[in-house]
Amino acid sequence: MLPKLTTEIPGRKSRDLARRLKAHESRNVTYLSDDFPVFWERAEGANVWDVDGNCFLDLTSAFGVATAGFACDYKRQTFAWQGALLEHGMGDVHPSALKVELCERLSQVTFERWGVGAGKAILGNSGFEAVEAALKTSWLATGKRRVLAFEGAYHGLGFGSLTANGWEFFKAPFRPMLADFADFVSYPRTAGDLAKLEPLITKILSRGETGVILVEPVLGRGGEVVPPDGFLQLLRRLADQHDSLLAFDEIYTGFFRTGKWFACDHEKVVPDLICLGKALSGAYPVSACVGKAGVMDAWPESAGEALHTSTFLGNPVGCALALASIEFWSQANRERELAKLEELWQQALSPLASLPEVVQVRGRGLLWGVEFKMPGIAGTLMTKGLQRGLVLLGAGQDGQVLSLAPTVALTPEEIAFAGAEIEKLIRAVRST
Ligand SMILES: Cc1ncc(COP(=O)(O)O)c(C=O)c1O
């Protein structure tokens, strides 16, 4: 459904909620200004309605979570029946059968599908918890404490994942509290970058202290950068040569975001650990660190007290949603459907590349970035986009990338509309 705005944006109710929130939420959390945000009330497919009754077209899947679309059948049904049956369990003490099934299914869609035997999982809630689990696993499995990570990479904001984040913005205020265990190299954009990267990574790994290379197979919040072919293969080879593990953070890119089950499927490279979240359930805080069984068995068997767990681990509603989501993505025609959608987005966005302020339009599947010459422009586009009924997000450390992570639920007409509207939006911002 195309957007339909019936009030000024933000409307009266949104402005009132912003005023109330300002008084009682920590002031660093929600960005509040006279023209931002709108408060959501309901959503369906690719549409979101705010509390003032305005209908928006969401081009973000709400942080890349609702890839399957809002309120699709599997979500409606699962919330209804599982919510009524068992809404909470005792994850590491008396779990539900659904936790067993989810661990099995996660193994099937990752390491078993890749033909390298079974996988074992540590479930969590937020994405960053999956990264924390991967970092702890790497230490236990290798006895090497350092992590090789990438500038611009985003892995979440817990202390371990924050340390491996390639964003100074998030780390600087907490620097004295962060441990020193991460080394950073730049994320490659071209074949030339890749050639320069090999000796740098080799030098770091040669010290024998790196337990894991942690990488996003497509750089998400760092600006939707699709690396050159051969990047993941290079990392696999170097990790093997130096007895380090390879961990893919597919929290953003997993579950067909880039057109295949996982972004690493494009290069057919198998990691030792994979971190999943967001679209894993498509609607609920569920995450997982899944690893080769042999690597995960570095954890000692529980003797009654888990070393790494949390109250909501394996929550039955979350597990039921994740199982239903995996079922949804398992349907035979998904790759073809995604290829068609990729083509439509490519067509809709490619005219933007010729605008004078645009550096590059890039992407894969349902993950696209429009990079601009002007730092900070993404915030302006987000705010002004709302006035046109578009929900948008920015990316890139300098706020120079417009990030699009739409749902599968947009029709070809809506995709064409979105491309044309974004072009008008850019022209409008230019003239202000
Ligand atoms: C690649 C990647 N890793 C980790 C995270 C952190 O996930 P969460 O915000 O659920 O903790 C994100 C969030 O955007 C992400 O994009």
Side-chain angles (χ1 to χ4, degrees), residues 96 179 183-184 186 190 249 255 266 275 299 358 407 413 427 429:
S96 69
D183 300 300
F184 291 91
S186 56
T190 63
D249 179 345
F255 299 93
H266 290 280
C275 299
W299 287 88
V358 171
T407 76
E413 293 69 34
R427 291 182 191 280
V429 167

Side-chain angles (χ1 to χ4, degrees), residues 126-129 131 154-157 216 221 249 251-252 278:
S126 293
F128 87 87
E129 293 174 50
V131 176
Y154 185 85
H155 299 296
L157 302 181
E216 291 173 80
R221 285 195 71 181
D249 179 345
I251 289 165
Y252 201 5
K278 293 188 188 276

Side-chain angles (χ1 to χ4, degrees), residues 127-211:
F128 87 87
E129 293 174 50
V131 176
E132 305 284 324
L135 295 177
K136 286 184 179 176
T137 303
S138 304
W139 159 249
L140 291 177
T142 66
K144 301 186 199 180
R145 66 183 292 273
R146 297 197 75 79
V147 176
L148 184 100
F150 288 83
E151 286 156 19
Y154 185 85
H155 299 296
L157 302 181
F159 273 108
S161 48
L162 179 60
T163 304
N165 257 5
W167 290 59
E168 204 40 38
F169 171 81
F170 293 109
K171 290 198 285 197
F174 307 104
R175 176 67 64 194
M177 294 185 73
L178 299 180
D180 167 23
F181 62 72
D183 300 300
F184 291 91
V185 291
S186 56
Y187 196 92
R189 287 158 191 261
T190 63
D193 294 345
L194 196 58
K196 285 188 213 140
L197 207 53
E198 179 165 358
L200 290 176
I201 297 181
T202 304
K203 194 171 162 202
I204 294 170
L205 297 190
S206 300
R207 295 180 199 136
E209 297 171 358
T210 306

